[in-house]
Amino acid sequence: MDPDKDNANPTIINPSDLPTRRRQSDNISSIKRRTDGGTGLFDGLIPAIARSSHAYDPFAAPLPVDSDASSPSSSDFGDDDVLEEIDEQEIYDLIAPISDPEHPLTLGSLAVVNLPDIHIVPPASTASRISTVRVLITPTITHCSLATVIGLGVRVRLEQALPPRFRIDVRIKEGTHSTADQVNKQLGDKERVAAALENGTLMGVIRKMLEGCDNVNE
Amino acid sequence: MSDVELYIFNYDKDKEEAAKAAKNTARRLVEKDVKLLSLIESIGQYLNSDEAAKRTKALSYLAEVLEALPPKTLTGQQRNLLCDFLVSRIADESETLPICARALLALDDLGPWETEKSVTMMTNILENTHPLSQYKLQSQRYPVLNLIDRLLAKYRKVLHELHDASQEFMSRFVSYFDAEKDPRNLMLVFSILLVPMTEWDIHSHAQELFDAVFNYFPITFRPPPNDPYGITAQDLKDRLRHCIAASADLAPYAFPALLDKLDSTSMNTKRDVLQALSSCVENYGPHTISLYSVTLWDALKFEVLQVQDDDLAQEALSGLTNIATQLSKGSTGALTVYLKPIAKEANEHLEDAPTKQSQAAAQILENISASSTASSNFIFGAVLPTLFALYGSADTTAKRRGLIEVLNGLIRANLRVYGEWRSIDTRESLVTDNSDQQTLNSLSTFSSQVLDVLLQGLHSTPIKEVSYRLVALDTLANLTKARNILNDEDVSRVISLLDDIVLNEESYGNDDVKTAAMNSLVSVAQQKPQLIIDKAFPTFMAKLPDSDRNDTVEYVGILEAFAQMSKEPKVFQTIMVRLRNKLYDAIKLQASPQFIQAVLAAMIFAVKQNPTALVGTSTECSYYEELVRPLIQMATSAISSSPLTDPGVVELIGKLSNAVIQQQNLEFQASTTGHLPYGLWGGTESELFPSFAPNASPQQVQLLLISTHLLAALRRDIEIRPEYQELLTNLKRVVQSSQTSSIVKQTAVQQISLVINKFVPRDKLSFVVDLTPSSLRESENITSANNDDFRIAFAATKGLLLRNAPVVTEMVQRLLEALSATSAGLTAARGFAMFLQPDELLTKENYCVISPLYRQKLFQLATSTITTQFPSASSAVKRNYLIALSGILRYLPYTVIEPQLSPLTPLLLQMLDLSGETDVKAAAIDILITVLVQQPEPLEEHASSVISRLLNATTADSNPPNVRSRALHCLALVPKKLKTEVVIPFRRQVVKRLTEALDDRKRAVRIEAVKCRSQWIELDEAGDDEE
Amino acid sequence: MSSLSLPSPQQTIKPLATLNPPSTARTWHTAPHPYLPLAATSSSDKTVRIYSLLDFRLHSSVSGGHKRSIRTSAWKPGTKSAGESVLATGSFDASAGIWRRWDGGVKGMKEEQDFTGGFAGGGDDGLEGDGDGDDEDEEWRFAVVLDGHESEIKSVAWSAGGQYLATCSRDKSVWVWEEMEDDNFETVAVMQEHEGDVKCVAWHPTEELLASGSYDDTIRLYKEDLDDWTCVAIMNGHDATVWWVEFESEKVVGLENQEEVDGTDDMKEQRKIWLERRENAGARLISCSDDLSIRIWRRIPRERPDVPTGQGRMPSILRSNSIEEEWVEEARLPQRHERSVYTVSWSRKTGMVVSTGSDGKVVVYKERWKQSSSSAGPTDDNGDRAMSEGRNASNGHNNTTIAETEWIVVAEMSDAHDVFEVNHVCWAPRWDKGRRSEDEEMIMTTGDDGEVKAWILE
């Protein structure tokens, strides 16, 4: 075992076993699940006369949406009036790709964050619009000294990625860490978190952890 | 003053002058104006001077003279004479060595001297000037090293003899270079020492030699910022590495020394060590390696099993693999000795799979097995039993998965050394066992067991265990690839399992497993086409209904399966026959249009995969006779209740026919299909094409859908009937008729473009101009132009534009004028999107004339007009210009737009302000994205308006999701592409404004918003530094 | 007037103004000026924005002194005569700053033009450092930087007389600085009593008594004892971080003028006893915490030493100390907050209390006489009454009956700053043209959205 790592040999979850959102039939990925049990292989060929495989007729009103592949057509998003609520899976997708500070692995694949340990609590009363996100993290081993950093990483990620109407509570999962209470108290302390974000070295670590999360492809 | 005097006089004052003097002498020597002897004499006096400086200068003079001489000016005798002279100088006065060396190098450039002189020279040097370090200046030592390097290059043999002759020589030789520090010199020292190390028998001196070079390990040299000599640390490292790896005799010193350094904490040192070790392994030869193999394993394994740094792990891994590769060239025994502990350790790690270490172990096993057939065989024998045992006792699927992954690796490795069914085996040659080629592949001893484990595993594991099943499937696929491992029965078992997964298994998640199974089938189809045809097809056909009257839809999956498998040419034929029969049955049984469409789509997909397979002779083509012709006839004679009257079906029949006929040669097209588009209705020249008949039924008119595709498939030289004039006139009428459905209008419009592009002779283009509706010919009537007029005008113009006919300019101009018209202007504006949008009919494959420059042409015409007229245009019609422009820009490659960028940017930004025109916005944003990626500078002056407009485009109220998402994507590029100081001032506002997009109602938009926002937050650091 | 006899009538909190321009970064805290129509807002953009309370627009900004977020600020009292305002700032950069600025042109009528004039450059693009500093008087001078704390300063407070400045930090210490003449500050005490971050410090309105609340869930009091500052009391009630402590005004307000129409002499007598007790116990202390509770603490006057029960038990070191004090929990305010309560403010004018916190709510409470122990108070504070009774048994007055008070919620509002957390709330004098009386007060809230809002109670 490598002395300078808390856990040099963690168990790793295979990517294809990580929870993923079941792709919807209205997205354009080449392989997708559809009611017809097909994969959409023929979509380019079968002319749904509505969105004709013909060149679109700019003179026929109403103007159909530009179906040039380079820009995703509205149909990829489904009906804009259909509200897609922020759900646990979406939260999971935000934090699972965060990389562990001591392994080149993601928190998802190390099972540090798990879908069942993410809960969204709706507003307490109709008067309030404030929902709460509760994330329980499971350190790879009970004495992991990096638990606080990991928790902070998760909290920072969510503060940056979720709309302000969400309050974010990141805690260590019951009985998975020796000093859980201290860690939880720190993670819960808004002032400490705010100050931590201004601490260059700490932010360096966090930034590295979050690097993998949003790669803007050109 | 004589040249010598001049030289010596100027030596310190004026190098130029001095050099001139030397050159002068050289010239005179060439012109035989001075004798060499007199030259020597002239120098002689100074050599006897008691001022050391004078003596040196004199020699330096000689050196420069020699350097200035062209080859062949001195006779061999003269050269030998000079050589003796200089060598004696070295003996007499060691201080002069550097300058003598310089002279000798110059001399040698003029031609060789007698070889034994080199021996004296070398001996002289070693005896009188040892060690070299006594010369303090790098510039002094450098020529000497050069000289010795030269001697070893040119007079190697004699020096070798010198070494063989005397015991002392080598020690003195090696120690001569002690304490050299300068990188330039070291480069030489290394290459000098490399010669004896590689070529001579240095056994008794191995240690001295090794120490001499290893002193410098690891190289830590960092070249100065603008180092004129351009020597990099890497250069030094490479040479040093070659030395260390030069001879097996060094092994006893090299391996301990290197392994000792491997404990270093510095990543760079480790890297150097690992690379050095690899080279040693490659050069020392199997026998030597066998002595150290196990030691090396014990040292290197940690780098792989406890990864600190990925590329170090890779280095170590390749090192370990090299050892196996080398040992495979030697005795099997040695290889076994090496592999035993590896297998043992790996087996231990497998016990707690899947972990980082078990994965590392798997990597080691895979790489080593891939080193040779022998390795592969041994590993199989040593690991598989344990692996199966562990697998049998494994309590979690995760563990079983981990083990199968290992197995998969071993099989992949086996494929690399033993090859696949279909591959002509190139691999073997690379891996030359000296044991006979036909070593039994021990995978075959395990194959049935492996197969059972996998099949059983796939059957029994619940479908939600995706990763396990994916790995198992992949392993299975690899197993079936392995040449001469599975017999046909085995493969058939695999196939039926795959069939079962694809066809019968209930869908789960994203159906990754079904997809993987399908891909496996395709890969099996490549390895064993016949088996697929015999085993897979029947099950698939059985599943495929003759019609979908019992409204099932699962047939789509099966059809897709067929289409996929058709990628393999061998099975393509069969698939087409089966599908054709299915299609005809379906038509007979009046299956639903959807079903027929699906079957047709599958066939089109297959056909497009194998275009060459369609090509027939000049007289016959089976696909035409048995497929296209009958289909077209059925379609034309279809009664109204038939599914063949469904426009979708008709369209697809057209596409299929197009795909087939397109491939046929001119003769065939001329003789057989030339008359098709309008003749196949048995029509003669006289008879009118049904679609054009005044009393044509909608069905008949709809047949245009087919004829468009047929027309597209024809080569240009075909004479179409009816002739283009009649054809175009009719098409125009169809377009303008109020009866015509919009889809038929569109196809008719496309046909107009096709005909004009392909079949109107260059000298008859005026006809086309006249074809355009009068309303669009005289600009004052423009207001009276209706949609159909525009349809025709744009179609005609497009046909000409693509073939870049001269007349097109004026036609485009007219359409541009239309933009200024209040009502008609908007229609015209929309029309411009027609020109460049992707078009599946007007293509080179369809023998259209596609001028390489038509895009540029349209772009120039449009932008010059629009940019000039826009500013003055009334606000009512401004949007027309923007819409038209965007209709063109959105389809243009960046390179075309680039030169016009600065005038266009303001217009682009205004497009973002157009309310309602969402696709214009989307297009503008896409262009901005390209600009940002390609060449952001011009945008910097507009930063503020770009950012604010993009922010506005991210709000849900007025923008559809795709615009919001693209705007966010674009906004995310801004901080990456524009100068930090330009964007910093907007940081906080953007970050704040984006919280709104984080709450977008659409998930896909939110994802972009998150990415975008974090890009801007990232700026934070930079921002704070500014304050 | 006699409204109090009825079950607490709901008042409403009405928006008065949003200070403009807001900060584009989180704002932490707002401090109203002791005698000028100004308020200082500390922001994580390293700036303190000074807003005018006459028209709620930016008046000037204080920036360039701190390297990290400014967490808090406090105006030095009693500088009116000197005609110069002094502001102390506490920052995450572990330093405190002292800033000075002449009051020139910030009084009476004519200054309003001064303000409007002053706004010319007050950029509204929300970028930091753009406070106009064109003419000399507008300039804030960075007078002194007080270094010493090892980590973020969380709170600063001037003693009533302005002689002492207290600072506290994540380094668990509380420092007391004394201002010698001309910007020369001396450290007179460093108190390392707490076991966690010290979140806040507050001075007693009349005595030189300092209170601090901490991450270690306790509240501590300090006093100078023969020129050596020591901890004189610990309050252990809260079971989570104490975010804020604040003393009541010198005299109890809001109760004495609550004439009971049909008040029996007996009642009057009991209330007199209560007021006397308050009189010699001195100002009470209020605190709020992560445990969602807001508590009021009362000193047990020395002259009647008696064994304290559960509440306020103290370590023996202090027992032996002659100046030790005993403080007990007198009451808990009705619990309205669903998440951490970050601040409470106790009005010097009306005795009303306002609280806010992470849930974005603003709640106003009022203390009133309880009819009698049997009378049913508003349902929302049953719990509280129970507790005050429990304490009365041990407050040394069980022989003579004494009146009781109870706290009721008079107004409540959600989402004060849209969906954002509210970091600070305080009572401030109202200065704008609309004010109804000389000493009318308004509520000022400071939020994560970078905005500061003014509210009035109706």
Side-chain angles (χ1 to χ4, degrees), chain C residues 396-414:
Chain C
H397 284 279
N398 20 17
N399 42 7
T400 53
T401 48
I402 177 168
E404 288 174 18
T405 65
E406 62 188 2
W407 288 87
I408 56 165
V409 173
V410 293
E412 179 171 349
M413 163 180 60
S414 291

Side-chain angles (χ1 to χ4, degrees), chain B residues 862-1024:
Chain B
T863 43
S864 57
T865 314
I866 293 178
T867 43
T868 47
Q869 294 183 2
F870 180 79
S872 54
S874 76
S875 57
V877 298
K878 265 189 157 53
R879 65 165 32 216
N880 298 353
Y881 288 93
L882 293 174
I883 294 169
L885 185 61
S886 109
I888 296 170
L889 291 184
R890 80 182 65 163
Y891 299 115
L892 283 174
Y894 174 73
T895 47
V896 179
I897 307 180
E898 196 270 333
Q900 289 294 318
L901 214 47
S902 38
L904 285 179
T905 314
L907 295 181
L908 279 176
L909 294 175
Q910 301 202 41
M911 290 183 195
L912 289 176
D913 299 337
L914 285 187
S915 56
E917 299 292 338
T918 59
D919 61 340
V920 175
K921 267 192 196 176
I925 292 173
D926 283 336
I927 298 166
L928 279 178
I929 289 175
T930 337
V931 177
L932 277 169
V933 174
Q934 298 288 345
Q935 187 200 23
E937 296 75 15
L939 286 183
E940 265 158 8
E941 52 175 313
H942 303 286
S944 154
S945 48
V946 170
I947 292 173
S948 57
R949 283 182 165 79
L950 286 173
L951 278 171
N952 295 336
T954 64
T955 55
D957 46 26
S958 53
N959 304 288
N962 66 314
V963 172
R964 268 136 56 197
S965 137
R966 292 304 281 171
L968 286 162
H969 179 74
C970 186
L971 189 55
L973 291 173
V974 172
K976 285 177 79 185
K977 295 299 179 179
L978 299 192
K979 292 205 205 66
T980 311
E981 59 268 34
V982 177
V983 286
I984 273 296
F986 305 95
R987 183 179 91 241
R988 288 219 171 90
Q989 291 148 296
V990 176
V991 169
K992 198 172 178 183
R993 273 285 300 276
L994 282 177
T995 52
E996 188 185 339
L998 289 179
D999 216 358
D1000 193 282
R1001 47 199 306 109
K1002 286 296 162 194
R1003 191 164 286 115
V1005 179
R1006 290 197 294 263
I1007 291 169
E1008 284 299 336
V1010 170
K1011 289 183 178 178
C1012 179
R1013 192 157 184 266
S1014 57
Q1015 289 299 318
W1016 282 88
I1017 291 172
E1018 270 307 291
L1019 274 174
D1020 213 351
E1021 277 306 276
D1024 290 354

Side-chain angles (χ1 to χ4, degrees), chain B residues 705-761:
Chain B
L705 286 171
I706 296 185
S707 61
T708 304
H709 285 284
L710 296 176
L711 200 67
L714 294 183
R715 295 165 184 270
R716 275 208 299 286
D717 318 344
I718 301 291
E719 283 183 16
I720 53 158
R721 282 163 287 152
E723 298 220 320
Y724 64 90
Q725 299 90 336
E726 181 187 351
L727 191 46
L728 289 171
T729 332
N730 281 302
L731 289 167
K732 181 178 177 181
R733 192 167 44 73
V734 174
V735 173
Q736 285 173 322
S737 142
S738 54
Q739 316 305 338
T740 321
S741 71
S742 95
I743 176 165
V744 174
K745 271 191 186 180
Q746 289 181 51
T747 201
V749 163
Q750 282 180 306
Q751 241 182 81
I752 293 179
S753 305
L754 267 173
V755 175
I756 291 176
N757 181 276
K758 284 167 75 174
F759 300 109
V760 179

Side-chain angles (χ1 to χ4, degrees), chain B residues 5 32 51 201 350 370 454 485 617 656 758 912 987:
Chain B
E5 291 159 337
K32 302 275 185 294
E51 295 173 51
D201 163 24
L350 294 194
L454 293 172
I485 295 301
T617 68
L656 183 55
K758 284 167 75 174
L912 289 176
R987 183 179 91 241

